[in-house]
């Protein structure tokens, strides 16, 4: 499969009163056409900023100061604002965590979907509205003709997220960025939405970047996964590999801290393993490994120099001195 | 251990929604609908259900922040809704709540120490000095340092704020702690720290927990017994191991099958999960529209929570036969 998206050494920084903060700090990522890439990490690790950087929608005080984002071979950071606007919503779409705040409360949902179709496909209003109803049917909304006339507040959380997906899918994008699409939803609705995304992906031969903090969602819905920590990718591989053989101490810690992981029988009175401490502040990053003060394997070498992301096993990349460089010494 | 501590009997809380100023049509929402439930001294009772199923309303009723439409709750044999002022104050000392969102539940203008000792001031326990001592002691217990005592809540991370919320709840030495989604706004690595802490504190202070969560994995980790709620009713109540190993109610099964497994080898075909939790039926089982086992009787007769064996209760006509 050819590459659809290649990110090279991307740095997205924010200039704030407390100084410069690199939310995304040297991320490189390759995503093949047709695959689902999961990006997992805790809050503040930069996963949303990575997605917004791809969309070139980072907040006003932020800037992409380094790197390339190659989409079908073209660098999105070099094209004009108009060109980028034409790509957004037609070739690259994004769905957000909170469907209530991302829909406009004063327009009917049908009109909101039709707007995207009108703008990108230059169709007359009536035709666009017909396609909009068709999209609502596609995402499993019953009685779409009638629902199209509803306002967002008439719909439940799951229905709103379906509307968001219908809007994102309306121009059949090549790439869908889904930022925590199910976090605000109940588990039963989450299962339905994940199913829907995977069906639409198959049907439209779409590529998906699925951003989540939930490793269970990754295991069920993604083929590849990248783990982010404090603005960097610390491990990436195929999904089966990372769950069977997690290499980075942070990934290992994350997996162990899930209660009742994999439905394993949990000993009564047993304790969960935890990662001590909390995520470091991005304002003053110390030299060396970012996971240094939370890591039980850390030694002197780790505090001095930042480990590079290296291929340890075929297609399994880890950024940790425990492997690779150190091993060869 | 198995002494009835809290008894909830035929508890109902309804809210009346009017559809607008000029619209006379009114809708009645049963947030808690005829619930019977017991909490035993020293146990952790997990309460699980989707949003809007009435979990938090039940917590508000138990803390007497709401009054029921009918039914009652007894605490150590006495009806909490017929307490006089004095008895209510003592009850509120004995029953404390930990909230979901550590960002909005802490006063931003107060330091950690003054937040934690405020309950002592309100209940007029000790003097200025002993209050601070008690607050510092409990802070150490929940893993906050002395140096952090004078900091304000914005200086703390989410996990640390939740520790402050826990310390505030425990400083009065309560017997019953109601934890309403205490870890759902935390990251998974922090969530594990807080869950372990709650487990330790329960042991050290001899607490009884009502632990409310929508997360079945969390409930599984912490609970002795689990109650599953659906649209204001308890549909299944059983020992932790029974709920997960042999769920009786079709809704419990649906919930369990919807939890994404962390094993990518088992990309399971999820059980046919349909519909959303909505009160649509006037008659029969509230779950009938989403249930794949539905039979004739389900549309007509509402199932009651029946005893299946010593520890298991289920509200389904087909319990045991499906």
């Amino acid at each position: 499969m050819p590459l659809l998206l290649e990110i090279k050494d991307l740095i997205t920084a924010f200039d704030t009163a407390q100084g410069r903060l690199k939310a995304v700090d040297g991320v490189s990522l390759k995503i093949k056409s047709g695959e689902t890439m999961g990006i997992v990490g805790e809050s503040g690790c930069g996963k949303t900023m990575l997605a917004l950087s791809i969309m070139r929608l980072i907040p006003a005080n932020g800037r992409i100061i380094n790197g390339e984002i190659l989409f079908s071979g073209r660098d999105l950071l070099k094209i004009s604002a108009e060109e980028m606007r034409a790509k957004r919503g037609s070739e690259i779409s994004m769905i957000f965590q909170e469907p209530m705040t991302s829909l406009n409360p004063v327009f009917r949902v049908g009109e909101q979907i039709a707007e995207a179709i009108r703008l990108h496909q230059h169709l007359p209003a009536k035709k666009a509205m017909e396609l909009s109803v068709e999209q609502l049917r596609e995402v499993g909304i019953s009685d779409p003709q009638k629902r199209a006339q509803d306002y967002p507040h008439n719909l439940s959380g799951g229905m709103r997220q379906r509307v968001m997906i219908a809007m994102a899918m309306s121009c059949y994008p090549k790439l869908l960025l889904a930022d925590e699409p199910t976090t605000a939803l109940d588990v039963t609705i989450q299962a339905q939405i994940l199913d829907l995304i995977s069906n639409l992906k198959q049907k439209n031969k779409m590529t998906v970047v699925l951003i989540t903090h939930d490793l269970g969602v990754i295991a069920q819905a993604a083929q590849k996964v990248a783990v982010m920590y404090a603005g960097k990718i610390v491990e990436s591989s195929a999904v089966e590999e990372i769950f069977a053989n997690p290499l980075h101490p942070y990934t290992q810690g994350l997996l162990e801290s899930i209660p009742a992981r994999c439905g394993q029988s949990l000993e009564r009175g047993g304790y969960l393993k935890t990662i001590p401490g909390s995520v470091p502040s991005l304002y003053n990053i110390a030299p060396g490994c970012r996971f240094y003060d939370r890591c039980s394997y850390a030694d002197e070498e780790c505090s001095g120099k930042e480990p590079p992301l290296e291929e340890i096993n075929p297609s399994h990349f880890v950024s940790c001195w425990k492997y690779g460089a150190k091993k060869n010494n | 251990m198995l002494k009835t501590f809290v008894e909830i009997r035929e508890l109902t809380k309804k809210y009346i929604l009017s559809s607008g100023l000029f619209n006379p049509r009114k809708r009645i929402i049963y947030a808690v609908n005829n619930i019977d439930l017991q909490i035993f001294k020293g146990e952790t009772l997990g309460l699980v259900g989707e949003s809007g199923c009435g979990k938090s309303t039940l917590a508000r009723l138990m803390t007497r922040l709401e009054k029921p439409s009918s039914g009652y709750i007894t605490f150590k044999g006495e009806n909490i809704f017929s307490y006089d002022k004095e008895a209510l104050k003592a009850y509120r000392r004995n029953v404390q709540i930990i909230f979901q969102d550590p960002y909005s539940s802490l006063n931003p203008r107060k330091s950690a120490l003054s937040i934690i000792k405020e309950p002592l001031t309100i209940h007029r326990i000790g003097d200025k000095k002993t209050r601070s001592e008690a607050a510092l002691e409990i802070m150490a217990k929940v893993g906050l340092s002395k140096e952090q005592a004078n900091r304000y809540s914005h200086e703390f991370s989410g996990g640390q704020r939740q520790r402050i919320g826990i310390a505030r709840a425990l400083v009065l030495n309560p017997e019953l702690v109601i934890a309403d989604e205490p870890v759902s706004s935390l990251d998974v690595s922090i969530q594990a720290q807080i869950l372990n802490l709650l487990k330790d504190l329960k042991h050290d202070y001899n607490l009884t927990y009502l632990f409310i969560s929508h997360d079945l994995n969390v409930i599984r980790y912490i609970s002795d017994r689990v109650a599953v709620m659906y649209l204001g009713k308890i549909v299944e109540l059983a020992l932790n191991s029974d709920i997960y190993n042999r769920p009786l109610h079709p809704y419990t099964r649906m919930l369990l099958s919807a939890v994404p497994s962390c094993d990518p080898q088992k990309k399971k075909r999820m059980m046919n999960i349909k519909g959303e939790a909505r009160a649509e039926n006037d008659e029969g089982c509230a779950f009938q529209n989403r249930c794949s086992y539905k039979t004739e009787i389900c549309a007509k007769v509402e199932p009651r929570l029946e005893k299946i064996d010593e520890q298991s209760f289920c509200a389904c006509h087909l319990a045991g036969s499906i």
Side-chain angles (χ1 to χ4, degrees):
Chain A
M1 272 292 181
L3 279 185
L4 179 71
L5 185 74
E6 183 173 10
I7 300 171
K8 287 184 187 167
D9 205 22
L10 183 76
I11 302 179
T12 303
F14 289 83
D15 286 316
T16 66
Q18 290 104 304
R20 174 167 281 188
L21 176 155
K22 288 178 183 166
V24 178
D25 195 357
V27 164
S28 300
L29 200 61
K30 288 179 184 171
I31 300 172
K32 284 184 191 148
S33 183
E35 76 184 2
T36 299
M37 167 65 93
I39 296 185
V40 66
E42 296 180 277
S43 41
C45 73
K47 50 196 196 304
T48 295
M49 281 308 143
L50 176 62
L52 291 178
S53 301
I54 298 170
M55 291 292 271
R56 273 177 60 184
L57 283 176
I58 46 177
N61 61 339
R63 219 149 46 87
I64 296 171
I65 56 175
N66 189 42
E68 290 172 37
I69 300 174
L70 301 170
F71 177 72
S72 311
R74 286 197 68 191
D75 189 351
L76 294 179
L77 301 178
K78 294 225 170 70
I79 63 178
S80 70
E82 270 98 278
E83 251 184 295
M84 190 63 215
R85 197 181 312 141
K87 282 206 180 340
R88 262 184 233 130
S90 66
E91 288 181 63
I92 310 174
S93 277
M94 185 158 176
I95 49 181
F96 301 90
Q97 173 171 357
E98 189 23 83
M100 191 62 210
T101 50
S102 14
L103 288 168
N104 190 328
V106 299
F107 289 101
R108 298 175 198 275
V109 295
E111 286 166 23
Q112 297 190 48
I113 300 168
E115 185 190 7
I117 300 173
R118 273 202 323 271
L119 287 175
H120 288 295
Q121 300 181 12
H122 309 289
L123 291 170
K126 199 165 163 233
K127 180 76 185 151
M129 196 63 197
E130 276 169 29
L131 287 175
S132 155
V133 171
E134 202 42 53
Q135 281 303 329
L136 286 174
R137 194 189 316 275
E138 282 284 289
V139 296
I141 287 183
S142 55
D143 203 357
Q145 201 82 41
K146 200 162 156 252
R147 287 284 92 83
Q149 300 301 318
D150 278 338
Y151 291 94
H153 74 263
N154 297 125
L155 304 174
S156 67
M159 294 264 263
R160 279 181 215 140
Q161 198 56 288
R162 284 178 197 267
V163 170
M164 281 299 295
I165 293 172
M167 198 181 293
M169 294 301 302
S170 61
C171 298
Y172 303 101
K174 289 186 201 151
L175 177 66
L176 179 72
L177 305 172
D179 184 8
E180 305 261 12
T182 58
T183 305
L185 306 174
D186 282 315
V187 277
T188 59
I189 310 299
Q190 163 170 293
Q192 294 172 6
I193 296 290
L194 289 177
D195 249 9
L196 173 66
I197 292 177
S198 122
N199 290 340
L200 290 171
K201 183 196 140 191
Q202 299 268 317
K203 201 169 155 196
N204 302 320
K205 299 192 172 51
M206 188 169 61
T207 309
V208 178
V209 175
L210 179 67
I211 296 171
T212 176
H213 69 280
D214 187 337
L215 284 156
V217 169
I218 294 279
Q220 292 307 305
Q223 282 113 43
K224 293 272 186 63
V225 56
V227 181
M228 278 187 85
Y229 185 76
K232 282 196 172 294
I233 292 179
V234 294
E235 181 162 5
S236 78
S237 78
V239 138
E240 290 79 9
E241 169 75 8
I242 218 160
F243 283 92
N245 184 23
L247 293 177
H248 197 283
Y250 177 62
T251 315
Q252 294 170 350
L254 269 187
L255 285 167
E256 280 166 352
S257 50
I258 305 172
R261 183 188 161 208
C262 318
Q264 287 161 345
S265 63
L266 194 89
E267 283 166 42
R268 305 307 308 280
Y271 284 91
L272 291 169
K273 285 206 178 165
T274 63
I275 305 175
S278 52
V279 182
S281 152
L282 291 172
Y283 282 110
N284 31 30
I285 293 279
C289 176
R290 291 170 185 217
F291 193 58
Y292 172 69
D293 44 357
R294 301 179 78 185
C295 181
S296 51
Y297 304 101
D299 59 22
E300 243 173 71
E301 187 170 357
C302 304
S303 74
K305 226 174 127 203
E306 203 158 5
L309 191 65
E310 286 184 301
E311 191 166 6
I312 304 295
N313 296 329
S315 302
H316 192 158
F317 295 81
V318 188
S319 144
C320 178
W321 289 122
K322 231 178 106 189
Y323 310 97
K326 203 183 213 173
K327 218 164 47 183
N328 301 333
N329 281 342
Chain B
M1 177 181 156
L2 293 182
K3 214 171 81 190
T4 303
F5 189 50
V6 176
E7 170 120 35
I8 299 171
R9 290 287 288 165
E10 294 171 4
L11 193 71
T12 298
K13 176 72 191 174
K14 58 184 180 192
Y15 293 99
I16 296 167
L17 298 183
S18 65
S19 342
L21 189 54
F22 300 106
N23 193 339
R25 216 182 54 210
K26 288 204 165 77
R27 245 168 38 133
I28 298 176
I29 303 272
Y30 286 90
V32 169
N33 195 350
N34 204 5
I35 282 187
D36 289 309
L37 192 63
Q38 292 176 328
I39 303 175
F40 300 114
K41 178 91 182 143
E43 76 167 342
T44 299
L45 177 67
L47 183 62
V48 66
E50 294 178 277
S51 47
C53 74
K55 320 185 281 290
S56 290
T57 305
L58 185 61
R60 292 177 66 83
L61 286 162
M62 287 191 61
T63 43
R64 266 206 60 172
L65 294 168
E66 298 271 3
K67 291 210 160 172
S69 310
S70 64
Y72 61 90
I73 299 172
T74 66
F75 178 70
K76 295 184 183 170
E78 273 190 75
N79 184 351
I80 66 165
F81 298 106
S82 53
Y83 278 150
D84 57 23
K85 214 174 156 192
E86 213 48 38
L88 178 60
K89 208 167 173 191
Y91 176 71
R92 290 219 161 120
R93 212 174 121 176
N94 252 330
V95 178
Q96 286 289 316
I97 186 161
I98 299 169
F99 295 99
Q100 169 172 4
D101 183 1
Y103 291 85
S104 60
S105 56
L106 299 180
N107 187 337
R109 290 163 184 255
K110 286 197 156 147
S111 68
L113 185 70
S114 55
I115 289 172
I116 295 168
K117 72 180 179 189
E118 193 176 16
L120 295 169
T121 319
I122 291 171
H123 287 277
R124 301 216 179 94
I125 297 166
D127 55 35
K128 227 173 168 182
K129 193 161 154 261
T130 56
R131 281 175 202 156
S132 290
E133 280 167 11
L136 284 171
E137 192 190 316
I138 198 87
M139 274 184 80
K141 200 80 202 168
V142 301
L144 294 168
S145 69
K146 230 177 171 167
E147 292 74 48
Q148 293 169 318
N150 291 317
R151 292 198 193 152
Y152 291 84
S153 55
H154 72 267
E155 296 174 77
F156 292 97
S157 67
Q160 288 171 326
R161 283 179 214 218
Q162 200 54 293
R163 287 175 197 267
I164 297 176
I166 293 169
R168 186 209 50 80
L170 293 187
V171 75
L172 287 170
N173 235 331
E175 291 180 74
L176 174 66
V177 172
I178 297 166
D180 189 1
E181 303 263 13
V183 295
S184 45
S185 61
L186 305 174
D187 279 316
V188 53
S189 71
I190 309 299
Q191 175 178 309
Q193 294 174 3
I194 298 292
L195 287 173
N196 285 344
L197 174 67
L198 286 170
K199 215 165 193 174
D200 278 339
L201 291 169
K202 181 185 174 222
H203 182 257
D204 294 354
Y205 289 91
N206 211 356
L207 300 168
T208 305
Y209 283 145
L210 174 65
F211 195 100
I212 299 174
S213 180
H214 69 279
D215 187 331
L216 286 147
N217 287 338
V218 168
I219 288 280
R220 180 177 201 171
Y221 171 68
I222 203 142
S223 309
D224 300 310
R225 288 191 307 149
V226 179
V228 182
M229 234 177 135
Y230 187 72
L231 291 174
K233 286 183 187 273
I234 307 277
V235 295
E236 184 164 358
L237 172 67
L239 292 176
N240 183 325
S241 51
D242 287 343
I243 284 275
Y244 290 91
N245 295 329
R246 48 159 202 136
L248 293 169
H249 199 282
Y251 177 62
T252 313
R253 291 187 189 182
M254 183 193 263
L255 272 183
L256 286 170
S257 84
V259 178
S261 150
C262 270
D263 186 353
Q265 306 292 353
K266 277 197 289 193
K267 288 200 179 161
K268 49 184 175 184
R269 262 329 307 141
M270 291 174 204
M271 194 174 127
N272 190 12
I273 295 170
K274 50 185 178 183
E276 299 183 3
R278 249 185 311 173
E280 296 170 323
N281 321 299
D282 295 332
E283 297 194 308
C285 177
F287 188 61
Q288 57 177 292
N289 297 347
R290 302 176 78 186
C291 184
S292 41
Y293 302 100
K294 184 184 171 185
T295 60
E296 242 172 71
I297 189 170
C298 304
K300 292 189 193 116
V301 183
E302 191 181 336
R304 287 190 61 85
L305 193 64
E306 309 266 8
K307 193 167 189 167
I308 306 295
D309 59 37
E310 206 43 54
Q311 300 275 10
S312 309
F313 299 82
C314 180
C316 177
H317 294 299
L318 305 165
S321 62
I322 49 173

